[in-house]
Amino acid sequence: MANPAGEIGQLREEELPVVRVIVPPDPGGRVFPDDLDPDELVFDARRTPMLVWHERYPVGRGWRSGWVLSFDRDGEGDPDDYIVGLGLPDVDAAVAQAREYLRSVGYRPNG
């Protein structure tokens, strides 16, 4: 797969469950370095799970970089997160791991 930097909102629907991949633009091209705050994520009308690349995701007292899966845990719009980890170029492996996790917790599309 090509470098996914700059691909925002790519819908990966070749397999179920569908996952939306969100990669912020290349940080080298920005004036101010920033990252998506977990509280800034908003589900679409179908509550599609989102796999988001974070440069600085809060974990305990520190931070880590990696893929984070955000999904609606109860069909009511209440988000839950799962740290997939892996590196930015490993987007295909991160999508596969996210789908495996969703299946393991009994995730049902659209609640």
Side-chain angles (χ1 to χ4, degrees):
M1 166 151 193
N3 183 349
E7 294 182 15
I8 298 175
Q10 178 188 21
L11 195 62
R12 302 290 295 268
E13 56 187 358
E14 67 278 0
E15 189 178 330
L16 293 177
V18 172
V19 175
R20 185 172 303 282
V21 177
I22 300 174
V23 182
D26 178 9
R30 293 182 285 183
V31 178
F32 302 102
D34 59 353
D35 199 3
L36 284 171
D37 186 275
D39 296 332
E40 295 174 334
L41 294 176
V42 178
F43 288 108
D44 61 15
R46 293 181 171 213
R47 297 187 183 113
T48 305
M50 295 175 279
L51 186 62
V52 183
W53 173 259
H54 288 277
E55 289 293 329
R56 292 176 45 94
Y57 186 79
V59 177
R61 295 186 196 173
W63 305 91
R64 80 176 279 184
S65 295
W67 292 102
V68 177
L69 174 66
S70 294
F71 62 99
D72 177 6
R73 70 173 171 239
D74 59 7
E76 300 296 322
D78 297 316
D80 202 356
D81 292 335
Y82 172 70
I83 298 173
V84 175
L86 302 174
L88 181 60
D90 298 324
V91 63
D92 293 329
V95 168
Q97 188 173 338
R99 285 183 170 137
E100 183 177 315
Y101 178 78
L102 288 169
R103 290 181 198 118
S104 75
V105 296
Y107 173 80
R108 294 178 316 185
N110 297 327

